[in-house]
RNA sequence: GGGGACGUAGUGCAGCCUGGUUCCAACACGCCGCCCUGUCAAGGCGGAGAUCGCGGGUUCAAAUCCCGUCGUCCCCGCCA
């Protein structure tokens, strides 16, 4: 059952007409078996492809006897002569379809119980089963292709960044829990009772310290951990391409990254990346697209209609404006679909789940507009609205009157939903955009304080420094996100390299001097020893691979992902542990277990 | 923490709304056996395989209705 005296000479994807006449030894899995009673065919599969084995009872009786025992997914070694397929039996659907292997010797290297699902691309197995038998799922050519693409992307990242003077440097996985940001995964310390390490949410502080250390340019393809609820594009552990440079500017970082993506497109996707990647300020993205990650692949831009409804008779609109709110619209051209009244009502309910007080609508009809709120509009307003929106008859205009944030948010989601629902999103396109000029802080209603929009180590724009205490909301950050097809794939910033400014940022976040010292003393101290100006960026690798390979779930880009509850269906992690292990870790269970 | 969808042979699904001889649960693929010498989704004949996720309730009667619970997926909150 071992490889024994045999040596593999070719992969199963490799033999062509040029190999005819040669003796080849192939090893792989029995993909499909077609037993004609006499002659018997086996498609042998490995990482590279399929090759047809022909086992003839007259030419190779011993091999034939073995072959009759072979079942799906048996592991085989086949020795034979590469032969052209008889005229008319070539298979143009296979790269190896011009030839076949006339087997002289067949060894069973391992048997296999029947797999729970067939190892093939057009698979109908549910994700549960796939995750439980992930090693079989990963045998499928499609999954192998994704992991290969992921590898190639990483290879380009390493070689490109290397060529630009970056060093790949590792940072600790057992790290320190810090406030701000996501919930940490904690690791109890056996040697230090009552103390815990945290798994890194990102190597942020270490990479900044590497800049203080004079490493100049750093990168790492690194695992990060965040103990938050999961989504189709979020896993508790995920991989980042993490980058940091000294003596740099946002422009230099953008150029560097565009160069990287140009290489990835060239070498992995074999297409060109249009450059330069356009840039858009956060405020513009929010107002035109209702999100900080705009998708340019379709239209449906958000309309600002405040001035038009300045003296509206519609009390709800007038009230929103009086409170300093805004009235914004989204115009849906005719022809997409017929909207029933109940569907529109459902949409309004949907809008309320995002905090909107409602979702009004008008249908362009005849000379003006119809719909429940049309009666509040003067013919003058209606005419102006037609001019402003260029609405063709039959168009549907959704309207939200609310605070800027809520209105933009709801219409941004509506825009994305409608584009998807009405099939307005072109496939196979890659639209990148840099989003810049983020606000430094946003107010957290929950915590009743300002929190960092990017992270607390981001530098404010120098010209906004004076307003840090007086008007935090107006301070812009030296931060930038890279967005691909409406998904944030990476973000970064110039950091605070001077301790004094970093202290002021902490203060604006409500982190007093004492707490700052306790939680971030090591950083503040390091910044005092001649920290160079520096900045960087980080990319979500799993998400990037997902987008570049056209997948819909991050799980398909990760060999062994977890479910939405953070469970590994294959190993059943997380699991309970022995009482002894808990004692050693100085951990005692509370809650339902001790009740 | 909240909303929604789903859970039926190894796999994918039908049946559920309107409970009962189309339900001791159908179909397809897979599996097992036999036949078959050029297939590549091989073909033909036959066969095995299901505590209808789990627990409780309603009812003369539950895959079907109700309650609870577990699991998976999608979303909101959350994720600097």
């Amino acid at each position: 059952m071992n490889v024994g005296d045999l040596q593999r000479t070719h992969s199963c994807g490799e033999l062509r007409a040029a190999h005819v006449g040669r003796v080849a030894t192939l090893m792989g899995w029995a993909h499909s078996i077609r037993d004609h009673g006499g002659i018997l065919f086996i498609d042998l599969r490995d990482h590279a492809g399929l090759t047809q084995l022909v086992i003839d009872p007259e030419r190779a009786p011993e091999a034939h006897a073995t072959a009759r025992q072979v079942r799906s997914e048996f592991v085989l070694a086949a020795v034979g002569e590469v032969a052209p397929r008889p005229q008319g039996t070539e298979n143009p659907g296979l790269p190896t379809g011009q030839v076949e292997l006339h087997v002289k010797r067949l060894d069973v290297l391992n048997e296999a119980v029947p797999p729970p699902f067939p190892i093939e691309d057009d698979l109908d197995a549910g994700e549960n089963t796939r995750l439980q038998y992930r090693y079989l799922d990963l045998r499928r050519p499609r999954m192998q292709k994704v992991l290969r693409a992921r590898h190639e992307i990483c290879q380009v990242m390493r070689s490109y960044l290397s060529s630009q003077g970056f060093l790949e440097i590792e940072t600790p996985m057992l790290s320190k829990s810090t406030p701000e940001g996501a919930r940490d995964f904690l690791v109890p310390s056996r040697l230090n009772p009552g103390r815990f390490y945290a798994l890194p949410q990102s190597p942020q502080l270490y990479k900044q310290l590497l800049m203080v250390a004079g490493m100049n340019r750093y990168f790492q393809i690194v695992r990060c951990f965040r103990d938050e609820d999961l989504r189709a594009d979020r896993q508790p552990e995920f991989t980042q391409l993490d980058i940091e440079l000294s003596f740099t500017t946002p422009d230099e970082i953008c150029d560097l990254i565009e160069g990287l993506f140009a290489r990835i497109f060239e070498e992995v996707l074999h297409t060109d990346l249009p450059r330069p990647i356009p840039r858009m300020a956060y405020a513009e993205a929010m107002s035109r697209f209702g999100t900080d990650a705009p998708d340019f692949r379709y239209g449906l831009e958000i309309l600002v209609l405040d001035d038009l409804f300045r003296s509206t008779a519609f009390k709800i609109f007038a009230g929103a404006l009086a409170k300093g709110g805004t009235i914004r619209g989204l115009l849906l051209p005719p022809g997409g679909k017929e909207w029933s009244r109940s569907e529109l009502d459902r949409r309004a309910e949907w809008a309320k789940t995002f905090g909107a007080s409602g979702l009004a609508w008008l249908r362009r009809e005849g000379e003006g507009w119809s719909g429940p709120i049309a009666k509040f509009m003067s013919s003058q307003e209606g005419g102006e609205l037609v001019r402003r929106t260029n609405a063709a008859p039959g168009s549907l205009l959704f309207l939200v009157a609310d605070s800027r944030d809520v209105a933009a948010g709801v219409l941004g989601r509506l825009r994305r939903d409608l584009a998807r629902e009405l099939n307005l999103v072109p496939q196979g396109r890659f639209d990148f955009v840099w989003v810049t000029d983020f606000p430094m802080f946003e107010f957290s209603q929950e915590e009743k304080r300002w929190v960092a929009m990017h992270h607390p180590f981001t530098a404010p724009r120098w010209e906004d420094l004076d307003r840090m205490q007086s008007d935090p909301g107006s301070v812009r950050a030296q931060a930038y996100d890279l967005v691909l097809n409406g998904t944030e794939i990476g973000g970064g910033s110039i950091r605070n390299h001077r301790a004094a400014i970093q202290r002021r940022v902490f203060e604006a976040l409500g982190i007093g001097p004492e707490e700052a010292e306790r939680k971030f003393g090591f950083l503040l101290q390091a910044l005092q020893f001649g920290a160079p100006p520096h900045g960087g960026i980080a990319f979500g690798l799993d998400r990037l691979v997902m987008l570049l390979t056209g997948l819909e779930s991050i799980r398909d880009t990760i060999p062994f992902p977890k479910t939405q509850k953070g469970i590994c269906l294959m190993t059943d992690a997380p699991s309970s542990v022995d009482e002894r292990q808990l004692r050693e870790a100085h951990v005692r269970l509370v809650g339902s277990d001790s009740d």
Side-chain angles (χ1 to χ4, degrees), chain A residues 68-121:
Chain A
R68 293 199 59 164
Q69 309 302 315
V70 170
R71 295 292 178 268
S72 234
E73 297 305 308
F74 273 33
V75 188
L76 305 176
V79 186
E81 188 179 321
V82 182
R85 291 202 184 187
Q87 189 124 46
T89 68
E90 302 90 346
N91 185 346
L94 281 181
T96 61
Q98 293 303 308
V99 297
E100 57 195 15
L101 194 73
H102 287 176
V103 174
K104 292 187 301 210
R105 172 179 168 187
L106 187 71
D107 286 14
V108 173
L109 302 179
N110 203 355
E111 298 177 348
V113 296
F117 50 80
I119 310 302
E120 60 194 26
D121 277 347

Side-chain angles (χ1 to χ4, degrees), chain A residues 189-479:
Chain A
S189 167
R190 177 180 60 87
L191 298 174
N192 302 278
R195 298 209 201 181
F196 295 83
Y197 300 101
L199 301 179
Q201 297 177 25
S202 84
Q204 180 61 33
L205 293 177
Y206 291 108
K207 68 175 175 176
Q208 289 189 237
L209 295 170
L210 287 169
M211 295 302 101
V212 180
M215 297 311 303
N216 190 45
R217 292 184 156 200
Y218 142 96
F219 84 97
Q220 188 179 191
I221 295 174
V222 62
R223 199 65 55 83
C224 303
F225 305 85
R226 292 176 192 177
D227 189 7
E228 296 293 346
D229 288 357
L230 309 182
R231 290 284 189 284
D233 63 351
R234 279 175 8 203
Q235 282 275 301
E237 55 177 311
F238 61 100
T239 304
Q240 276 191 350
L241 170 64
D242 195 42
I243 293 175
E244 196 79 4
L245 317 56
S246 294
F247 307 109
T248 193
T249 62
D251 282 344
E252 185 183 34
I253 292 173
C254 291
D255 282 350
L256 175 86
I257 296 307
E258 291 186 21
L260 171 62
F261 276 91
R263 282 274 304 274
I264 291 173
F265 269 61
E266 191 183 315
E267 295 187 20
V268 182
L269 300 179
H270 310 293
T271 54
D272 284 330
L273 171 72
R275 291 174 73 181
I277 291 172
R279 300 188 190 186
M280 180 176 284
Y282 170 87
E284 184 182 349
M286 289 306 290
S287 130
R288 286 174 59 192
F289 301 98
T291 169
D292 61 358
D295 193 338
F296 294 164
R297 290 176 298 171
Y298 46 91
L300 301 180
E301 284 194 31
I302 294 170
L303 305 157
V304 182
L305 303 168
D306 292 356
D307 53 316
L308 214 146
F309 289 99
R310 191 58 65 197
S311 49
T312 181
F314 187 33
K315 280 188 187 141
I316 294 176
F317 280 17
L321 287 175
K323 273 189 287 186
T326 183
I327 295 167
R328 307 209 171 172
L330 193 74
L331 183 74
L332 202 56
K337 83 177 233 186
E338 293 302 315
W339 289 77
S340 70
R341 189 63 180 264
S342 66
E343 276 174 305
L344 290 163
D345 289 345
R346 266 203 301 279
R347 268 294 164 189
E349 286 308 308
W350 168 90
K352 285 177 188 169
T353 65
F354 301 104
S357 45
L359 181 69
W361 56 271
L362 289 165
R363 190 174 276 129
R364 174 81 173 81
E365 224 167 282
E367 289 302 297
W369 301 86
S370 67
I373 68 162
K375 58 178 176 285
F376 298 109
M377 272 199 313
S378 69
S379 62
Q380 204 176 352
E381 282 171 331
E384 182 59 23
L385 194 56
V386 171
R387 261 193 303 284
R388 278 283 284 285
T389 59
N390 271 322
S395 302
L396 193 60
L397 178 66
F398 291 99
L399 292 164
V400 175
D402 223 302
S403 71
R404 281 168 162 240
D405 288 354
V406 170
V410 167
L411 290 175
R413 282 175 201 273
L414 183 63
R415 173 175 181 269
R416 199 186 57 184
D417 270 28
L418 291 179
R420 214 171 287 169
E421 197 179 318
L422 303 175
N423 266 321
L424 302 176
V425 187
Q427 296 304 300
R429 259 182 71 179
F430 295 102
D431 267 351
F432 285 88
V433 59
W434 287 105
V435 178
T436 63
D437 296 315
F438 278 84
M440 183 80 185
F441 308 103
E442 60 187 338
F443 194 77
S444 164
Q445 290 298 338
E446 194 181 333
E447 299 180 56
K448 300 286 177 232
R449 67 176 182 102
W450 293 93
V451 296
M453 195 153 183
H454 188 57
H455 59 55
F457 317 107
T458 297
R461 293 253 297 239
W462 310 131
E463 62 266 36
D464 295 351
L465 261 180
D466 294 341
R467 296 196 305 276
M468 280 246 287
Q469 269 66 36
S470 58
D471 185 10
S474 75
V475 177
R476 288 162 299 169
Q478 299 190 55

Side-chain angles (χ1 to χ4, degrees), chain A residues 6-19:
Chain A
L6 294 176
Q7 174 130 32
R8 178 161 67 168
T9 62
H10 298 82
S11 78
C12 296
E14 153 167 38
L15 296 177
R16 298 288 184 276
H19 295 90

